[in-house]
Amino acid sequence: MNLKGLKITWLGHATFRLETPGGKTILIDPWVMGNPMCPESEKNIKKLDVMLCTHGHFDHIGDAVEIAKKHSPAVVGIPELCGWLEKKGVKNCSGMNKGGTQTVGDVRVTMVHADHSCGIYDGDQIVYAGEACGYVIEFSNGVKVYHAGDTNVFGDMAIIHDLYAPDLAMIPIGDHYTMSPREAAYACKLLKCKTVIPMHFGTFPVLTGKPGDLQKLVPGTEIVEMKPGQTL
Ligand code: NI
Ligand code: MN
């Protein structure tokens, strides 16, 4: 699809770096240095304006504190997760909740539902961190991208289509902790996106779902299999 100046780089797992047509850099789910799928050349974040966190599991916020302290981006997450990040010394948090939209950098960000857990394993404790979420991001060029976070398929993905009509969706397919290709195919049916980027597969042996398995189930959808470090 034509991204009209937006650049999307997959850093492996659920982590994406987006460069907006206006020159801002957005990082979704900051698991970079500790992410075994992230290429070495991508581990040194050079610039960051906005950080979006979907939930409190280590494979999504594992490097959030370190990266936020270094680059001072606007940090978006559900309020309880932002509260934990602030306790760890992160500034510029802008907590929001599902259904809300705010402008950060040069994009409009809407927080949407995800069907998943959200506790933070902090030392020997599990800290309550609100609920897992996804995001719909609207860029100044009109392109709309949905990042589902970790989730099972849920019927209200139809509402995400009806209200926001994302052009492109990043959805988990790995199985075990999230949807497998079977549920992800149903998600494609509800979301009606022309283009889908599968994520959250292959990082660990239990994440067995494969983009090719999803493509077979949804022949009418363009399933884009990215390589970690690749840019669209
Ligand atoms: Ni998770
Ligand atoms: Mn995960």
Side-chain angles (χ1 to χ4, degrees):
M1 68 170 284
N2 181 2
L3 295 174
K4 302 179 193 164
L6 163 67
K7 286 188 195 157
I8 299 175
T9 304
W10 189 37
L11 302 190
H13 205 59
T15 306
F16 288 85
R17 185 181 65 236
L18 311 179
E19 285 152 87
T20 74
K24 303 278 187 198
T25 304
I26 301 171
L27 189 63
I28 310 176
D29 279 353
W31 191 43
V32 179
M33 293 82 90
N35 181 347
M37 298 285 275
C38 182
E40 285 303 318
S41 57
E42 295 287 345
K43 289 193 175 181
N44 182 21
I45 303 271
K46 288 167 195 78
K47 156 185 185 298
L48 193 58
D49 301 293
V50 176
M51 179 187 278
L52 305 180
C53 301
T54 63
H55 65 294
H57 292 157
F58 78 94
D59 56 320
H60 299 261
I61 60 159
D63 297 315
V65 173
E66 190 176 335
I67 293 171
K69 283 182 177 173
K70 190 167 169 202
H71 295 285
S72 303
V75 178
V76 176
I78 213 152
E80 292 83 356
L81 176 58
C82 285
W84 183 84
L85 291 170
E86 283 168 345
K87 266 196 201 162
K88 301 291 176 185
V90 173
K91 307 256 193 291
N92 305 321
C93 287
S94 185
M96 68 188 301
N97 223 310
K98 296 172 187 181
T101 301
Q102 61 174 322
T103 300
V104 277
D106 59 356
V107 295
R108 297 275 291 162
V109 175
T110 303
M111 181 178 280
V112 296
H113 183 65
D115 188 3
H116 192 69
S117 66
C118 188
I120 301 172
Y121 289 75
D122 187 352
D124 61 354
Q125 294 200 318
I126 300 175
V127 177
Y128 174 75
E131 292 190 0
C133 72
Y135 292 102
V136 177
I137 307 158
E138 182 170 3
F139 297 88
S140 59
N141 61 4
V143 171
K144 285 171 278 182
V145 171
Y146 167 49
H147 185 292
D150 278 3
T151 190
N152 185 15
V153 67
F154 51 93
D156 289 351
M157 283 180 175
I159 297 181
I160 293 175
H161 165 74
D162 289 348
L163 283 178
Y164 314 117
D167 304 287
L168 181 152
M170 299 143 172
I171 62 173
I173 64 158
D175 206 338
H176 199 88
Y177 296 114
T178 70
M179 304 192 276
S180 78
R182 179 185 184 187
E183 294 79 17
Y186 202 95
C188 290
K189 189 169 103 176
L190 295 174
L191 290 165
K192 300 188 175 95
C193 291
K194 289 194 179 70
T195 307
V196 168
I197 301 175
M199 62 174 181
H200 212 278
F201 65 92
T203 319
F204 315 117
V206 291
L207 304 186
T208 53
K210 295 204 167 45
D213 300 336
L214 175 59
Q215 182 69 81
K216 273 182 219 150
L217 295 170
V218 287
T221 304
E222 182 191 14
I223 303 298
V224 179
E225 180 173 358
M226 295 184 77
K227 296 274 169 274
Q230 185 188 341
T231 300
L232 294 184

